[in-house]
Amino acid sequence: MTVFNDADDARGSDRNDQDVTGIAIIGMSGRFPGAPSVEALWDLVCEGRDAFLKLRPDEIEDAFTDEERAAANYVPARPQLPDVDMFDAEFFGMFPREAAVTDPQHRVFLEVCWEALERAGYDPHRYPGLVGVFAGASMPTYLINNVLGERAKVEEFTSNYQIGCFQQIVGSVTDVLATRIAYKFNLRGPAIAIQSACSTSLLAVSQACQNLLTYSCDMALAGGVSITIPQRRGYIYQEGGMVSPDGVCRPFDEQAAGTVFGSGAGIVLLKRLEDALRDGDRIFAVIRGYGINNDGSDKIGFTAPSVEGQADAISSALANAGVDPSTIGYVECHGTATPLGDPIEFGGLRSAFAEAGDKRQLCALGSVKGNVGHLDAAAGVSGLIKTALALYHAKIPGMANYQRPNPRINLDDSPFYIPASTTDWPATEGPRRAGVSSFGVGGTNVHLVLEQAPASQGNVDDVARGPHILPLSARNEAALAAMRANLRDHLQANPALPLSQVAHTLQTGRRAFSHRTAIAANDIEQAIERLGSERVASGVATERPPIAFMFPARARNMSAWARHSTAANRNSPAGLTGARSCSGHL
């Protein structure tokens, strides 16, 4: 399926013989502190900005006392994810009460999964293959603080949750995150909840890859979400602990003293590379291999990291991908900025890259935690999205909040360097390659090896003659008007888009809802003009009512038929009007 996108000259290898095995990333979506989309995240990274803000006293919603907040080690900082209280329940076919008791993690994850499918140009209801879901979330604090609330409800939950509180908790438990997506989107592939603390979302991606390679599904949504309620709260700093003393995360820097936890969500849509090339999908990057293991007990404590465990996971991924470590130009690190974690992670990288020899300045290191903080269950997929965009745009991203290396990290005697700003990624003899690490509390380590997408085999020139029909549909008139404005703005920002591909995506890669409009245009300029016109006609589509055949019969039989016909109409999912239960957006 061809999707409309900007043709980036930097993406795609010059080698037409590049291996077509692997897993293609064909869609991405996310919500991050300071960045409401993957494009905004990339801008944040490229500009070296971060989302760390101190909270004013009148903004704080935590349970600390005034005395505790006045203490020197109280840090009133946490990266915020705005609008988590906003949700279009009607769009996803949910009643207001159901939406109210559904965790914001589930609600935001519904939004980003829908967006990832739309961005890739796929309507799951029309896609003939199996689509899987692999995902995880953080602790359901919304359930604890907002849904249950009172002590009596907590006791009822713990003693009789299967009966008394099931309707209240089913919208919050992490077990149903993946199956909720499958139910709402009619996805029939494997729907599996993944949980491994900080490495949850990257582990979900690896399991999605495994299921694709074994043909358990044909596409897969994989990622994670972490939104803790309330968001506007501080924390208590302890020297040598996990959190930062000043509310700023500085991975691998000499001033690194702890991480900063925040809220966010990320999802990638995956497909076997050969299938993605065949279908003309936009490919951001290719997953060539992955390694997964656990530290076991050979470390100083349950929450402590392990050099050997991390090194083995990275080495396994390189072996699985069949690539030489000297061909890796960038590694997105776990990068918690803790005094213990960063040196151990660097030691694991050095061990895994030992075969690279004595080369220096070979591989750049980075961590998105310097921009948005530690997103817990969404941390790994956030780093994956950043790295996929780095390969797509051929840029080496700089490390935010980095000045000088941690004194316990010897960069000079290693193949690594840490760029302070974003630079061009020079062309290499083969395709550009990168690694992504995510290490969970308890020792589940995951590493992925990524590669730039093969060169496009198709011609992006808009050779098809117009006029082209651009259809739009939504659940209501307000949403439809917003879609028109969104499409117009998108075309204005990307005037080089092939209009025939835009039309194809809108016709085949979008769900058709009840409120509809369409324009016909010969080129982008005409499409922009007509989308902005107030004379565009719209209407409400209705499905045909069921057909009944009537035959002469006695009154008793006619009465029975009438009762049966009425019941059939009443129980029909579409009812008499055929109005759909969801709306669409661009």
Side-chain angles (χ1 to χ4, degrees):
M1 179 172 297
T2 303
V3 299
F4 56 87
N5 60 86
D6 53 337
D8 191 321
D9 292 337
R11 77 175 189 269
S13 169
D14 292 333
R15 296 175 10 152
N16 292 325
D17 61 342
Q18 188 172 343
D19 190 1
V20 295
T21 60
I23 303 299
I25 301 175
I26 64 170
M28 302 190 295
S29 179
R31 305 283 186 273
F32 315 94
S37 66
V38 294
E39 292 83 6
L41 176 67
W42 180 243
D43 290 341
L44 192 77
V45 168
C46 288
E47 295 167 10
R49 295 181 286 112
D50 65 55
F52 304 119
L53 297 173
K54 293 292 182 67
L55 297 170
R56 300 190 308 270
D58 61 324
E59 294 178 316
I60 298 174
E61 298 176 344
D62 59 36
F64 290 111
T65 65
D66 291 340
E67 183 179 355
E68 289 171 324
R69 291 176 184 172
N73 63 339
Y74 175 77
V75 184
R78 187 172 292 267
Q80 305 294 302
L81 193 65
D83 300 329
V84 297
D85 57 332
M86 306 296 290
F87 181 65
D88 189 349
E90 182 185 22
F91 179 88
F92 292 104
M94 297 172 68
F95 292 109
R97 176 58 182 168
E98 180 187 1
V101 297
T102 299
D103 195 308
Q105 295 185 114
H106 293 235
R107 302 196 304 239
V108 170
F109 204 64
L110 278 165
E111 294 174 347
V112 297
C113 286
W114 180 270
E115 188 174 89
L117 286 164
E118 278 206 337
R119 283 170 169 261
Y122 283 99
D123 173 7
H125 280 250
R126 285 190 277 183
Y127 181 65
L130 296 175
V131 182
V133 187
F134 303 83
S138 294
M139 180 184 296
T141 55
Y142 182 77
L143 171 69
I144 299 170
N145 295 323
N146 293 63
V147 177
L148 299 179
E150 300 174 3
R151 177 66 184 173
K153 289 186 176 181
V154 175
E155 291 180 355
E156 181 185 2
F157 163 59
T158 55
S159 63
N160 195 27
Y161 78 94
Q162 290 284 7
I163 301 174
C165 288
F166 183 75
Q167 291 302 321
Q168 289 178 300
I169 70 157
V170 75
S172 295
V173 291
T174 57
D175 309 52
V176 303
L177 178 67
T179 50
R180 182 184 300 278
I181 301 300
Y183 170 68
K184 289 295 183 182
F185 298 170
N186 193 33
L187 309 181
R188 301 186 180 274
I192 302 173
I194 304 290
Q195 209 66 48
S196 63
C198 316
S199 60
T200 290
S201 56
L202 207 64
L203 180 61
V205 172
S206 71
Q207 298 311 292
C209 291
Q210 184 68 27
N211 275 263
L212 285 165
L213 292 173
T214 57
Y215 289 81
S216 298
C217 54
D218 301 294
M219 291 198 301
L221 289 162
V225 58
S226 177
I227 302 173
T228 53
I229 303 295
Q231 284 198 90
R232 294 189 290 272
R233 68 184 193 274
Y235 58 86
I236 301 297
Y237 165 73
Q238 293 180 333
E239 186 175 356
M242 186 177 292
V243 291
S244 167
D246 61 356
V248 178
C249 188
R250 302 179 177 87
F252 296 96
D253 190 74
E254 65 176 354
Q255 297 185 55
T259 198
V260 182
F261 287 94
S263 296
I267 193 77
V268 292
L269 181 63
L270 307 175
K271 196 176 188 181
R272 289 181 290 273
L273 177 58
E274 57 183 332
D275 295 344
L277 291 171
R278 178 199 64 208
D279 297 339
D281 295 312
R282 170 170 56 170
I283 302 174
F284 291 97
V286 177
I287 300 174
R288 282 291 179 202
Y290 50 89
I292 311 164
N293 69 3
N294 190 274
D295 295 333
S297 59
D298 188 19
K299 54 184 180 179
I300 62 174
F302 175 70
T303 62
S306 163
V307 172
E308 292 77 12
Q310 294 180 12
D312 288 347
I314 298 169
S315 297
S316 295
L318 290 167
N320 182 253
V323 302
D324 190 306
S326 64
T327 65
I328 305 294
Y330 174 77
V331 172
E332 172 69 15
C333 301
H334 188 61
T336 55
T338 57
L340 177 65
D342 283 356
I344 285 180
E345 181 171 7
F346 185 78
L349 281 165
R350 286 196 60 172
S351 178
F353 275 67
E355 295 182 9
D358 297 330
K359 296 180 180 179
R360 299 292 179 262
Q361 301 285 302
L362 173 70
C363 178
L365 303 181
S367 174
V368 75
K369 292 180 179 65
N371 303 100
V372 298
H374 192 335
L375 304 188
D376 194 45
V381 72
S382 300
L384 174 62
I385 289 171
K386 170 191 168 183
T387 308
L389 290 171
L391 286 164
Y392 186 76
H393 294 295
K395 298 285 186 181
I396 295 288
M399 178 87 83
N401 298 312
Y402 175 81
Q403 294 182 344
R404 288 175 293 276
N406 185 315
R408 298 172 63 187
I409 293 175
N410 187 1
L411 280 174
D412 295 335
D413 189 27
S414 78
F416 306 107
Y417 69 99
I418 300 176
S421 60
T422 301
T423 60
D424 291 334
W425 194 331
T428 56
E429 183 178 347
R432 299 177 181 89
R433 294 192 176 114
V436 183
S437 291
S438 191
F439 309 130
V441 168
T444 297
N445 307 308
V446 185
H447 187 84
L448 266 59
V449 174
L450 269 63
E451 187 174 283
Q452 72 181 110
S456 174
Q457 302 299 313
N459 187 353
V460 300
D461 293 335
D462 194 13
V463 296
R465 299 182 60 183
H468 303 290
I469 298 175
L470 308 181
L472 298 173
S473 66
R475 180 65 179 85
N476 53 54
E477 280 296 328
L480 190 60
M483 288 186 67
R484 283 174 50 198
N486 288 344
L487 180 57
R488 183 192 64 223
D489 294 345
H490 185 73
L491 295 180
Q492 286 177 333
N494 302 275
L497 290 177
L499 191 60
S500 62
Q501 294 188 26
V502 175
H504 177 75
T505 299
L506 292 174
Q507 292 169 21
T508 64
R510 295 291 185 268
R511 183 83 59 83
F513 299 112
S514 56
H515 289 254
R516 302 179 185 180
T517 188
I519 66 163
N522 290 300
D523 51 42
I524 292 289
E525 292 76 14
Q526 192 176 58
I528 293 170
E529 178 186 354
R530 293 186 174 179
L531 285 167
S533 172
E534 299 190 6
R535 295 165 53 187
V536 177
S538 63
V540 180
T542 58
E543 294 180 356
R544 296 177 180 177
I547 298 174
F549 292 93
M550 299 181 63
F551 301 95
R554 288 182 296 181
R556 181 176 50 140
N557 292 338
M558 289 296 295
S559 298
W561 174 87
R563 288 195 302 272
H564 173 77
S565 179
T566 301
N569 282 336
R570 183 172 59 249
N571 295 328
S572 171
L576 294 176
T577 63
R580 306 277 180 147
S581 60
C582 298
S583 65
H585 63 278
L586 186 64

